[in-house]
Amino acid sequence: MRVKHFYLAACISLVTLIFLCLSWELRLAPLQPGGSWLALKCLPLLAPLFGILHGRLYTYRWASMLILVYFIEGVLRFSTDSGASRWLGAVELVLSLVFFSSAIAYVRGARTPDQR
């Protein structure tokens, strides 16, 4: 039962992070008025999306490394930006931590005994 919770947490945090990246750079606090090309930073998050939604362990493994890039961006934007961008960086930081920890927990819980 716990594995299902980790699965849901990973799925929800990944989808939320994709929408956060898009809305951040296009609407909420873009670098330039009217949006910026930095919205394309959500594209790498689309690569593991279907594997995560289908519960593929291999995708969870490599996506947990990919998400660390967004963790680093969240830390940098939270510590250097001001205003709305600072708080969006904090949300990105939290979402990336939730995804990372739930992905690792999902992989550990979903492995069969012969894979350990």
Side-chain angles (χ1 to χ4, degrees):
M1 187 65 173
R2 294 180 66 193
V3 173
K4 184 177 180 181
H5 294 294
F6 296 134
Y7 166 79
L8 288 173
C11 291
I12 290 169
S13 61
L14 181 63
V15 170
T16 306
L17 189 57
I18 291 170
F19 283 113
L20 173 74
C21 289
L22 281 174
S23 60
W24 182 352
E25 299 302 338
L26 294 176
R27 196 87 165 157
L28 298 175
L31 291 177
Q32 300 173 8
S36 71
W37 284 96
L38 200 53
L40 295 176
K41 71 181 180 183
C42 77
L43 288 179
L45 292 173
L46 295 175
L49 182 61
F50 292 109
I52 295 297
L53 294 176
H54 286 87
R56 295 188 181 115
L57 291 179
Y58 181 73
T59 306
Y60 274 83
R61 289 179 180 133
W62 67 263
S64 65
M65 296 296 110
L66 170 70
I67 206 72
L68 295 177
V69 173
Y70 296 89
F71 171 79
I72 292 168
E73 185 199 17
V75 168
L76 289 174
R77 301 283 292 261
F78 179 71
S79 62
T80 60
D81 289 0
S82 60
S85 186
R86 177 185 178 138
W87 297 111
L88 291 169
V91 173
E92 182 179 34
L93 173 73
V94 169
L95 286 172
S96 62
L97 281 175
V98 168
F99 178 82
F100 180 79
S101 58
S102 59
I104 297 299
Y106 178 79
V107 168
R108 291 188 71 185
R111 288 186 303 184
T112 58
D114 60 330
Q115 291 177 327
R116 292 182 183 172

